[in-house]
Amino acid sequence: MYLPILGLISEYNPFHNGHLYHFNTSSDLTQAEYSICVLSGNFMQRGEPAVIDKWSRTLMALKAGIDLVIELPVIYCAQSAEIFAYGSISILNSLGIVDSICFGSESGDIDSLKHIASILNAEPPKYREYLKEEISKGISFASARARAVRRYAEYEGMALGKCTNDISGCNCLETVLKSPNNILGLEYIKWIMRLKSTIVPYTIKRVQSGYNDESLNKDFASAWALRRAIKDKDYKSIDKHMPHFAANILKSCLSGGRGPVFLEDFTNAMLCNLRRMSTYEISSLPDVSEGLENRIKKAAIDCFDIEQLITNIKSKRYAESRIRRILINSLLGIRKSDIELYKTIGPQYIRVLGFSDKGRNLLSEIKKKCSLPIITNVADYKKYNNKYLSKMIEMDILSTDIYVTAYSKPELKKGGYDFYTKPVMI
């Protein structure tokens, strides 16, 4: 079988009209006949739980026309853009059948993003020197990296695509490097380069709403604005900004007590964890450095809700999304050593969350070309006798068991969903 196969990396938290536009436009742009989505499970890259569970969001994706949905192991989910992209691209690359990926970006200029990604991939000595200098100024990593790339481009006399004709006078490069979807896109391209993958990257310019856009008065609302509407029970906005099939799935979850789930639902658990942990143990969490553990420990003792906790921890250097990821990792028990291990050895399995009739054909092809175990029944993981696989998938199982404690109905808070929930099939 050879037909163009499109790879997607998403969270669908929740699936909205912008996601449907992105999928349809990506399919047209790449002329893909099949599509595979790597989907975050129950916790998201920017440090929050999914508003509804991973199987319900998988059903949304399949109803939209995506053929196969694969879970991104939780070890890669609530991490920096670099780690998130590494896990996602590694999975798509390991399948052996994906021809292209297409991601949304604020830039919309793939040539410029490729040019910048080539610097991030090569990390030439002068760039590393500039990065070290900028980080020492006490600014966030995103800002420091943007400034370092700009300085390196000036040093080399480079014009970065459509960004500028005169690099010394360009004020938009920093914007490109600090916009959330551009950042992810750059990391996708960087890891395609680093893994020597044959996957071809494409990008589509985001239209109307940015990631943090609060407006619900546009055709395409951001997922952030929709989550706020869900919290406010604004069903009119939900119906307006989500495809009817996705809105119906969402409403079914909410009426059944399976959501919505928000970060504040884990307030007590996170405060208990952080108050119990020593500063040394907090320092072992991903993204904690330079004495931040002391700030976190004090805030955990002084604060009583998540908003206050984040406010007391964040600073010019430590952005809110980074703090949120730290809190999620503390909740899930993920340590720096776990990240270092799985960044070295990579994903250990392909976990199938759902597929269509066309997706069955893809699974048959993947089994011929992929060296990783294909897991549809979680209980089968033990037969592989691989301690790294076991540890990785047990983190996924635990993350679901923790996630469901936020459900409103007591009887739904039991654990073990990963063992008795079958892949979604349509």
Side-chain angles (χ1 to χ4, degrees), residues 141-419:
F141 178 78
S143 296
R145 187 170 73 164
R147 292 182 183 183
V149 170
R150 177 179 172 78
R151 289 177 64 186
Y152 180 77
E154 290 177 331
Y155 172 77
E156 291 287 341
M158 299 166 65
L160 297 178
K162 296 178 183 177
C163 213
T164 180
N165 291 316
D166 175 10
I167 194 70
S168 65
C170 175
N171 293 317
C172 61
L173 181 58
E174 283 88 346
T175 301
V176 170
L177 277 154
K178 289 192 286 186
S179 302
N181 291 282
N182 287 340
I183 290 171
L184 281 172
L186 287 167
E187 291 295 338
Y188 297 150
I189 299 169
K190 184 187 84 175
W191 282 110
I192 288 171
M193 294 174 174
R194 196 161 288 184
L195 294 171
K196 296 179 171 58
S197 173
T198 59
I199 295 173
V200 178
Y202 294 81
T203 191
I204 296 170
K205 186 175 178 63
R206 285 181 64 98
V207 294
Q208 296 189 1
S209 294
Y211 176 79
N212 293 314
D213 195 327
E214 300 180 13
S215 174
L216 287 166
N217 297 319
K218 301 175 181 178
D219 292 336
F220 296 152
S222 70
W224 188 93
L226 268 173
R227 289 193 294 274
R228 188 182 65 177
I230 292 167
K231 183 180 287 189
D232 295 339
K233 299 181 179 179
D234 179 2
Y235 295 110
K236 184 177 180 181
S237 292
I238 291 170
D239 289 333
K240 177 182 177 183
H241 294 291
M242 294 179 67
H244 70 276
F245 61 84
N248 289 341
I249 294 167
L250 173 66
K251 290 175 185 177
S252 176
C253 288
L254 303 187
S255 64
R258 294 180 291 116
V261 177
F262 296 104
L263 191 64
E264 54 263 37
D265 294 316
F266 301 100
T267 297
N268 290 342
M270 286 190 284
L271 286 177
C272 285
N273 269 350
L274 293 173
R275 290 176 181 179
R276 173 187 53 79
M277 295 170 74
S278 66
T279 52
Y280 175 78
E281 289 172 319
I282 295 173
S283 72
S284 73
L285 296 173
D287 271 338
V288 175
S289 60
E290 300 165 325
L292 182 60
E293 63 272 17
N294 298 308
R295 193 180 183 99
I296 294 172
K297 184 70 174 180
K298 184 177 186 306
I301 293 170
D302 294 342
C303 299
F304 57 84
D305 66 28
I306 289 299
E307 184 177 347
Q308 184 187 31
L309 182 66
I310 293 170
T311 298
N312 283 21
I313 297 172
K314 70 180 182 179
S315 66
K316 184 179 180 181
R317 171 168 285 187
Y318 301 107
E320 180 172 331
S321 58
R322 181 171 176 177
I323 304 305
R324 286 173 170 267
R325 287 195 291 268
I326 291 169
L327 295 179
I328 292 294
N329 284 306
S330 74
L331 179 70
L332 301 180
I334 295 173
R335 302 290 182 264
K336 287 176 183 174
S337 56
D338 299 319
I339 302 298
E340 291 165 1
L341 171 65
Y342 289 109
K343 187 180 175 184
T344 301
I345 65 175
Q348 297 294 292
Y349 52 84
I350 303 299
R351 168 77 186 282
V352 177
L353 288 178
F355 52 89
S356 65
D357 283 338
K358 287 174 64 180
R360 286 185 176 89
N361 297 331
L362 289 176
L363 282 172
S364 297
E365 290 299 310
I366 290 168
K367 288 174 182 177
K368 297 175 187 176
K369 298 185 178 182
C370 182
S371 61
L372 295 176
I374 312 298
I375 295 180
T376 55
N377 183 348
V378 168
D380 290 342
Y381 82 89
K382 294 180 181 179
K383 74 181 184 182
Y384 294 103
N385 195 30
N386 177 337
K387 66 179 182 180
Y388 301 116
L389 184 155
S390 295
K391 182 176 181 179
M392 178 177 274
I393 204 164
E394 284 166 4
M395 288 181 181
D396 292 346
I397 295 164
L398 175 62
S399 72
T400 302
D401 289 348
I402 291 173
Y403 176 83
V404 299
T405 63
Y407 285 169
S408 59
K409 289 187 177 180
E411 63 270 24
L412 297 178
K413 297 176 186 283
K414 62 182 180 179
Y417 278 79
D418 281 280
F419 288 102

Side-chain angles (χ1 to χ4, degrees), residues 16 30 33 52 66 71 89 106 111 128 133 209 229 251 256 290-291 293 331 346-347 359 369 383 389 396 399 403 425:
H16 55 65
T30 61
E33 295 290 338
I52 57 173
I66 292 169
E71 181 173 8
I89 295 296
E106 292 85 358
D111 291 333
R128 292 200 300 270
E133 289 176 5
S209 294
K251 290 175 185 177
E290 300 165 325
E293 63 272 17
L331 179 70
K369 298 185 178 182
K383 74 181 184 182
L389 184 155
D396 292 346
S399 72
Y403 176 83
M425 295 178 280

